[in-house]
Amino acid sequence: MISTFASTDPFSGRQPNIIAFILGPLIAMVGLIATQVIAMKKANQVIEGVKRVCDEVSKQQPRLSFHVRFERRYYHRQHDNRTGSHTTNYIEVIVAGGGAVPLGTADMSALPYATNVTSNLGVPVVTSSVAVPDRSPAERLANLEEMKPHLSEQEYAAKRNDILNSV
């Protein structure tokens, strides 16, 4: 008895090519797996490159420490009974040493990036620190007023008192 799978095609009168039925999906599956492996290797290369840059910049800046972080959160949705995960990738920056970093005082145009000096990874290297010019109390108070929506009442009052006491 001949199975229906091996029967002749009613349109062409030929028997179907069994090898094509097996080999086609097999080649597609191997191709998908190979694509996933290549993508994972590339992603790992990028992650390792970012880690190297963070380590290099951390060594150049003694007060700063850069770390690549990955947080995976698992969840379960009650309404459709599905589970899954979400990964958040970020770079954590730790500022070491004393003194608070004043809010709203950085002038991005004054950052001294040396365009002629690059690391071995092709990343611009900071060659000196930013010098923030002394500002008058009136300028500092005006800057504090701009920052007021982002500060708590206690922070605002403490900063305002610091500025007024420095006069």
Side-chain angles (χ1 to χ4, degrees), residues 14 16 22 43 87 105 131-132 136 159 166:
R14 294 181 289 158
I22 295 171
T87 303
T105 58
V132 178
S136 71
K159 270 299 197 191
S166 69

Side-chain angles (χ1 to χ4, degrees), residues 5-76:
F5 183 72
S7 65
T8 57
D9 183 5
F11 298 108
S12 66
R14 294 181 289 158
Q15 287 195 350
N17 188 349
I18 294 176
I19 294 175
F21 281 118
I22 295 171
L23 199 56
L26 184 63
I27 289 172
M29 210 172 1
V30 168
L32 286 172
I33 291 170
T35 302
Q36 288 295 321
V37 168
I38 291 169
M40 286 173 40
K41 282 185 178 181
K42 195 65 163 171
N44 285 338
Q45 288 174 348
V46 169
I47 290 168
E48 290 304 315
V50 170
K51 285 181 181 179
R52 280 194 310 272
V53 169
C54 287
D55 290 343
E56 186 175 313
V57 173
S58 293
K59 288 176 187 173
Q60 293 170 357
Q61 300 295 323
R63 285 194 64 211
L64 299 176
S65 178
F66 295 86
H67 306 278
V68 178
R69 298 287 187 233
F70 302 93
E71 290 181 2
R72 182 170 290 255
R73 293 205 167 82
Y74 296 94
Y75 59 88
H76 178 79

Side-chain angles (χ1 to χ4, degrees), residues 13-14 33-34 36 49 57 95 103 110 132 137 151 154 160 165:
R14 294 181 289 158
I33 291 170
Q36 288 295 321
V57 173
V95 179
L103 295 174
V132 178
L151 301 173
Q154 293 84 11
R160 187 172 190 282
N165 289 338

